[in-house]
Amino acid sequence: MNLSTLLKTNLTNTNLEDLFTFETPDPGTVRRHEINTRSFCNLVDNLSDSVCCLFIRSNNCTTDQDYQFTLQGAYQITAIPAGGWLIQDPNQQQAATYWIPALPKNRQLDDDQHITSETSAPIGGLEISTEALSITVNRKQGYYLDLVILRFMPDADNLVQQLIAPQQHELAPVFLWGSHTTYCKHADLFLHLINGLVYENRTAWPYYRKICSENDAHALYVTLTGLQHRSGKLLYVLLKRLLVSATLSRQGEDGAWRHGEWSDDMEAHFRLHCSGMHLLMDVLSERHDPEVEANLKSAAAYIAKQHDSTNIGTWFLHDELELSEASMSKSPFKWVKSRAFGKRPSNMLVLNTHLDTSIALDRYATLTGDSQYATLLASARQATRTLLTAKPAERLYRIIFNIIELTLLPTEQAKQLPVHLRIFKRLGWKYLIPRLQHIKKIFPRIVMPGGYIDRALSLRGISPAYQSINTMDLARYIRRFPDDIPLDQIRSALEFSQSQIFRDFLAESKKTRYALGFWAETLYHLCTIDTDPKYRQWLTDVLLDLDNNDLGIPPSILGGNMEALSAPLPPIQAQLTSSSVLVANLSLSSKTEFLLVNRGAAPATIALKEFSLLIANKISPTQGRDITLNPGDWVTLQPVRP
């Protein structure tokens, strides 16, 4: 049988508009409908009374299958700057407009909705006439076909125009916390939003399958909030509703979000769970929503139970595998049983998740007034203070980390070491680092001499990239609990992270380069809690690092991090962008401040207009006049006061 005959005999023809069958929602609500047909299982998210998003997934079957999607009318298809394609009928003002943000994909999934394999679905045909437009797509045997389409009714034409003509800053790459990839344009949202769920845009170690991630969902939400604030466009409000719908739909009956990243037990990773909480708290910071508040309450009740009672206080766990030694045996990590600080042996004493959970529960209490976890949180804060100030065997650890720091040098600098230091470096990575957890079992500590902060107490080896994640969470923690950890207490850790040697070490490997994005997030928080110009210079340095390594800007500097802001910022009244100037929004509800950095190779002129100069690097103070930034220079700005 030839291909043309096969297409005719093995083809399902569907009128695309028939798949958009649902009740019209009340304006501003998010309601997900599931519509099953013989060939498809469709999810429809109603974003407003004029816009909806349709996720099409074919039913699985044992043979190759061709699907033809048809729209009646003189439709035309056009690629747009926001990504994807618009389908419009220019002759019919009352016709809907359709946006296909991503090419259809063939995907294989396991029973837990992990994506185990995916490939582009071949386009078997595209027919355009005055009568109809039809697209034929091939689904492979043993795969599901996924396609996403957004429909805009005629009265939503202003939203269509926002897609057609994005501003320059809307197309700048943004670093995402979960998958460590970049969001560059509107359509990139659908690299993560797959069949109504948010996935990481990468295959995750150790099984190299795509997992659902509330961490990326929250990073995307913060990104879209910042872009909404900066552009004033309603489109971002609607796209954010897709993330809310996806997050709510994935939450379990016990309040947990589960992931199955490290085992086949579908264990929950509590860092990702807290990201789900932060996303819902961002929503409540913007508007009242009883459904979101109920789901948040359930999530808080779940995470509050996930702790170990130690001699130094409550310690929040990293994931569900830590609940027992039997579960930890399924972990891909090598670990050592330890009862340091009176903890259970399966508790790895992971720092960043403990900090994040403490922050999430305190933010929850502040936002909702629910103080039932106050005693638990007070105990967790005591554990944090005790661990961060624990410094046993100071001389021994100083010797150990003088050696270990030799392994954290950039390659070119390591090559220039004298022979005796090369020997010590080899001893460090080959023998000392793999056995470090046994030393920490006897002399338990995480904060090391010289400023390095270890990821955990009982895991084998070290994780240099987590230095930046730890400093980010410590900066966030200091924002919420300034009396617990003075900023001076982590000064050595900050200076270690900012050192050119360590930043160059991180940048030269794909495995650690992503840590620069978290170091930039650290500096965002430091700049918004401290006025020291030093932190603005440091943020400038790392923004240039990120730009040089194509990692994108951190989401928070767009001005949409509601954890830091508590309430939405007013819209920006003046555009401060140019092709070579990065803009970091360091504003809070109580102040307005922008950091401008010239990332280009030539001087850049900026018209201040409504802004005055606050702090300048190599520039004389000025107000209301144009200024010129040399390559690598920065200024911070505030509105001119009447």
Side-chain angles (χ1 to χ4, degrees):
M1 182 181 294
N2 62 37
L3 179 61
S4 61
T5 304
L6 178 63
L7 285 174
K8 292 178 181 179
T9 58
N10 193 26
L11 182 140
T12 299
N13 193 315
T14 301
N15 187 342
L16 187 59
E17 184 59 35
D18 290 343
L19 300 179
F20 287 91
T21 305
F22 55 88
E23 297 177 1
T24 301
D26 296 330
T29 63
V30 178
R31 296 180 183 175
R32 172 166 289 182
H33 298 266
E34 183 172 330
I35 306 166
N36 294 303
T37 67
R38 183 177 64 86
S39 300
F40 305 108
C41 178
N42 305 312
L43 295 175
V44 181
D45 279 344
N46 299 309
L47 306 180
S48 72
D49 54 351
S50 301
V51 183
C52 64
C53 180
L54 172 67
F55 297 98
I56 302 171
R57 172 162 285 175
S58 70
N59 295 323
N60 198 5
C61 63
T62 57
T63 61
D64 287 359
Q65 180 71 50
D66 291 281
Y67 297 94
Q68 187 177 74
F69 300 97
T70 301
L71 278 172
Q72 301 299 322
Y75 281 92
Q76 298 178 359
I77 186 166
T78 308
I80 58 173
W85 300 265
L86 279 186
I87 301 177
Q88 296 175 297
D89 185 342
N91 300 321
Q92 295 292 331
Q93 293 185 350
Q94 297 306 309
T97 295
Y98 301 87
W99 178 37
I100 302 178
L103 288 171
K105 293 277 190 178
N106 283 319
R107 293 188 171 98
Q108 289 181 321
L109 302 100
D110 62 20
D111 292 340
D112 294 317
Q113 295 300 300
H114 298 123
I115 297 173
T116 57
S117 177
E118 68 178 0
T119 182
S120 294
I123 304 296
L126 174 61
E127 299 179 14
I128 301 176
S129 70
T130 57
E131 303 293 330
L133 178 148
S134 64
I135 303 173
T136 302
V137 184
N138 174 259
R139 182 189 54 76
K140 291 173 60 176
Q141 176 182 341
Y143 285 72
Y144 294 95
L145 174 69
D146 282 340
L147 179 62
V148 59
I149 303 173
L150 282 82
R151 185 183 70 176
F152 299 83
M153 300 306 289
D155 58 350
D157 182 64
N158 63 318
L159 298 174
V160 175
Q161 296 307 311
Q162 292 175 17
L163 277 175
I164 293 174
Q167 298 168 2
Q168 179 180 303
H169 72 268
E170 296 178 84
L171 304 179
V174 181
F175 172 80
L176 297 182
W177 300 326
S179 58
H180 310 153
T181 55
T182 55
Y183 169 98
C184 300
K185 54 185 179 296
H186 305 70
D188 286 355
L189 177 65
F190 299 91
L191 297 176
H192 302 265
L193 199 55
I194 298 170
N195 200 44
L197 303 177
V198 176
Y199 285 82
E200 290 186 349
N201 185 26
R202 63 170 180 173
T203 53
W205 178 86
Y207 292 104
Y208 297 100
R209 56 196 180 192
K210 287 189 175 182
I211 66 166
C212 290
S213 172
E214 286 67 44
N215 208 347
D216 262 5
H218 184 219
L220 287 163
Y221 196 92
V222 171
T223 297
L224 297 181
T225 299
L227 292 171
Q228 171 194 344
H229 160 66
R230 190 158 172 180
S231 68
K233 293 184 177 180
L234 177 61
L235 179 64
Y236 292 109
V237 176
L238 302 186
L239 294 180
K240 284 162 60 177
R241 288 176 183 169
L242 286 171
L243 294 171
V244 176
S245 182
T247 302
L248 294 176
S249 68
R250 229 184 66 75
Q251 190 175 14
E253 292 184 1
D254 62 350
W257 287 279
R258 290 188 164 82
H259 312 92
E261 182 176 6
W262 289 348
S263 77
D264 290 327
D265 288 350
M266 204 55 183
E267 77 282 349
H269 287 249
F270 302 141
R271 177 85 197 208
L272 277 62
H273 175 94
C274 287
S275 291
M277 291 180 62
H278 284 299
L279 188 153
L280 298 187
M281 288 188 281
D282 285 0
V283 175
L284 294 179
S285 296
E286 298 171 325
R287 67 177 189 272
H288 176 64
D289 190 314
E291 180 185 7
V292 167
E293 187 167 357
N295 283 61
L296 174 61
K297 182 177 182 180
S298 177
Y302 170 80
I303 199 64
K305 300 173 185 176
Q306 313 308 317
H307 65 267
D308 181 17
S309 298
T310 74
N311 293 342
I312 61 174
T314 297
W315 192 266
F316 292 115
L317 300 176
H318 177 273
D319 57 74
E320 282 186 318
L321 297 181
E322 284 190 309
L323 293 173
S324 71
E325 293 181 51
S327 294
M328 274 301 295
S329 67
K330 302 175 183 179
S331 167
F333 294 102
K334 293 184 178 180
W335 56 287
V336 61
K337 295 181 181 180
S338 166
R339 290 193 177 275
F341 301 117
K343 71 179 185 66
R344 70 176 69 148
S346 58
N347 175 6
M348 299 296 100
L349 221 72
V350 178
L351 178 62
N352 69 289
T353 311
H354 171 77
L355 295 174
D356 192 34
T357 304
S358 301
I359 293 166
L361 284 175
D362 186 71
R363 187 184 177 198
Y364 164 78
T366 301
L367 196 62
T368 66
D370 184 355
S371 60
Q372 63 176 302
Y373 308 115
T375 301
L376 182 72
L377 186 55
S379 178
R381 292 169 61 184
Q382 178 58 49
T384 300
R385 292 191 294 268
T386 302
L387 181 67
L388 292 179
T389 55
K391 296 182 179 179
E394 179 73 10
R395 290 184 178 179
L396 174 62
Y397 277 110
R398 190 166 296 278
I399 294 171
I400 289 172
F401 273 85
N402 281 339
I403 296 173
I404 287 178
E405 285 181 21
L406 295 173
T407 71
L408 305 179
L409 295 174
T411 301
E412 289 304 314
Q413 190 163 344
K415 288 180 180 179
Q416 298 173 17
L417 290 173
V419 174
H420 70 284
L421 291 182
R422 291 186 194 180
I423 293 172
F424 279 118
K425 179 177 181 291
R426 181 176 178 83
L427 291 173
W429 69 260
K430 190 170 184 179
Y431 299 106
L432 188 54
I433 291 176
R435 292 166 175 78
L436 183 61
Q437 74 271 23
H438 299 292
I439 301 172
K440 291 188 294 181
K441 179 179 179 179
I442 302 170
F443 304 110
R445 66 184 287 178
I446 282 183
V447 179
M448 302 300 176
Y452 183 82
I453 302 176
D454 216 352
R455 179 189 182 189
L457 190 72
S458 301
L459 291 174
R460 182 182 181 184
I462 63 172
S463 302
Y466 271 81
Q467 174 76 6
S468 299
I469 297 173
N470 286 334
T471 56
M472 178 188 71
D473 290 323
L474 285 168
R476 296 170 59 221
Y477 190 92
I478 289 171
R479 180 191 297 282
R480 297 209 72 83
F481 310 112
D483 296 334
D484 286 16
I485 308 173
L487 191 55
D488 284 349
Q489 186 176 324
I490 64 169
R491 178 182 293 134
S492 62
L494 300 176
E495 291 174 347
F496 180 92
S497 300
Q498 175 62 17
S499 68
Q500 189 70 57
I501 289 174
F502 186 62
R503 288 179 9 240
D504 287 347
F505 167 80
L506 294 174
E508 72 177 4
S509 170
K510 290 182 179 180
K511 293 182 179 180
T512 56
R513 194 171 298 153
Y514 73 88
L516 295 171
F518 290 103
W519 178 233
E521 286 286 341
T522 302
L523 293 169
Y524 162 80
H525 287 284
L526 292 176
C527 287
T528 54
I529 61 178
D530 195 291
T531 59
D532 192 337
K534 172 180 66 177
Y535 297 130
R536 278 97 182 135
Q537 177 64 63
W538 288 8
L539 180 55
T540 295
D541 293 339
V542 74
L543 287 176
L544 294 174
D545 286 346
L546 292 170
D547 190 60
N548 292 334
N549 288 281
D550 298 321
L551 287 171
I553 58 176
S556 295
I557 71 166
L558 292 170
N561 188 326
M562 300 307 299
E563 177 189 328
L565 300 174
S566 300
L569 293 172
I572 296 175
Q573 298 300 316
Q575 294 299 322
L576 302 174
T577 59
S578 71
S579 59
S580 63
V581 175
L582 291 172
V583 179
N585 190 343
L586 306 181
S587 303
L588 298 174
S589 303
S590 57
K591 72 179 182 75
T592 301
E593 180 184 353
F594 298 95
L595 172 72
L596 277 62
V597 179
N598 183 2
R599 63 177 178 177
T605 299
I606 302 167
L608 294 183
K609 296 182 180 179
E610 302 175 16
F611 290 80
S612 64
L613 191 64
L614 258 180
I615 303 166
N617 180 34
K618 303 178 184 177
I619 297 176
S620 301
T622 185
Q623 178 171 313
R625 299 196 304 270
D626 293 355
I627 59 172
T628 298
L629 282 179
N630 289 322
D633 274 354
W634 59 275
V635 293
T636 56
L637 309 176
Q638 68 176 356
V640 175
R641 301 301 178 189

